[in-house]
Amino acid sequence: DTEVTQTPKHLVMGMTNKKSLKCEQHMGHRAMYWYKQKAKKPPELMFVYSYEKLSINESVPSRFSPECPNSSLLNLHLHALQPEDSALYLCASSQSSRRTEQFFGPGTRLTVL
Amino acid sequence: DQQVKQNSPSLSVQEGRISILNCDYTNSMFDYFLWYKKYPAEGPTFLISISSIKDKNEDGRFTVFLNKSAKHLSLHIVPSQPGDSAVYFCAAGSSSNTGKLIFGQGTTLQVKP
């Protein structure tokens, strides 16, 4: 199984809503990542989890809250988002965080109204 | 400061011919490089990688060349097929900054039948 799955595929939320994005992998990877991608731009790293511990936070606003319940799951909790947070949110995983290929999920298309 | 640059936003190639996508980087600490392909509304798909200790890596129709002195890498696709039409991102990482990939802006490849 070489797949990273993400749910939901699409999400529309208001600025006062609380929602969560979910990511799952069953490849035994010990590093997981959240990226944000705006239209016609490259993916931008948000968070890195290594062995279920947060190892990198790229100065992401606190309205984005990551969580890694176990080595296969990664969540991104969203609260009080702004319209400019609308983007494609990508999850990725890799065998470890050291020099290995990252495999991406299909993404969640988020629209904040 | 763009540490990874893809200076050609687009490239058009005839089916069966060679596609050459280029990428330049500025940070000498980068010691591994990857190429990803992305279709609209999907996550990036890993294609091929290369470590800084090599100057060439080949996988089927895809070959990546690395010129460390010029801080330049290229992806060759031979022969090009219409299904290769997508956005191609190069990415760079450093073993000393584990997990963080820096992506170029992407090159849109169109392969004409």
Side-chain angles (χ1 to χ4, degrees):
Chain A
D1 184 0
T2 58
E3 196 178 13
V4 176
T5 59
Q6 289 187 245
T7 55
K9 197 172 175 64
H10 300 277
L11 179 61
V12 179
M13 60 186 290
M15 290 190 284
T16 58
N17 291 158
K18 282 186 183 181
K19 297 286 184 183
S20 296
L21 309 184
K22 296 187 185 301
C23 174
E24 192 166 2
Q25 58 88 14
H26 294 289
M27 295 179 276
H29 289 174
R30 302 315 301 265
M32 296 185 77
Y33 311 80
W34 281 116
Y35 286 84
K36 173 181 177 179
Q37 186 175 24
K38 300 280 258 184
K40 299 192 187 301
K41 296 287 188 184
E44 290 182 10
L45 183 67
M46 300 174 71
F47 302 103
V48 179
Y49 273 84
S50 179
Y51 289 87
E52 299 158 51
K53 289 189 176 4
L54 183 65
S55 59
I56 295 179
N57 176 343
E58 287 288 291
S59 303
V60 179
S62 59
R63 57 185 184 268
F64 295 91
S65 175
E67 178 197 19
C68 189
N70 61 55
S71 59
S72 301
L73 291 173
L74 187 65
N75 298 322
L76 185 63
H77 303 298
L78 314 172
H79 175 52
L81 294 193
Q82 304 296 311
E84 59 265 28
D85 296 322
S86 299
L88 181 68
Y89 287 84
L90 294 161
C91 173
S93 71
S94 63
Q95 204 164 36
S96 77
S97 59
R98 295 186 66 86
R99 297 183 60 156
T100 58
E101 298 82 1
Q102 294 181 21
F103 294 89
F104 284 81
T108 294
R109 173 69 61 188
L110 174 67
T111 303
V112 182
L113 302 177
Chain B
D1 176 30
Q2 245 184 300
Q3 298 183 65
V4 179
K5 296 180 186 178
Q6 294 175 255
N7 292 316
S8 298
S10 62
L11 174 68
S12 183
V13 168
Q14 207 66 34
E15 180 179 6
R17 305 295 290 270
I18 184 171
S19 296
I20 300 176
L21 298 104
N22 294 303
C23 180
D24 298 294
Y25 62 96
T26 56
N27 191 337
S28 303
M29 296 299 292
F30 290 144
D31 54 9
Y32 64 102
F33 305 88
L34 308 93
W35 283 95
Y36 286 87
K37 176 170 80 171
K38 189 177 186 301
Y39 295 117
E42 292 185 13
T45 300
F46 168 73
L47 282 175
I48 192 168
S49 63
I50 188 166
S51 165
S52 60
I53 61 172
K54 293 186 173 182
D55 54 17
K56 177 182 173 182
N57 191 25
E58 204 169 345
D59 184 1
R61 296 186 297 116
F62 302 94
T63 303
V64 57
F65 295 92
L66 176 62
N67 182 334
K68 288 188 291 294
S69 60
K71 293 191 176 66
H72 176 84
L73 64 152
S74 61
L75 175 68
H76 293 211
I77 307 174
V78 183
S80 301
Q81 299 173 352
D84 296 329
S85 298
V87 179
Y88 287 78
F89 290 99
C90 69
S94 167
S95 299
S96 61
N97 195 1
T98 54
K100 183 167 181 173
L101 288 181
I102 306 296
F103 284 80
Q105 295 294 309
T107 296
T108 300
L109 173 66
Q110 183 185 28
V111 180
K112 297 180 179 178

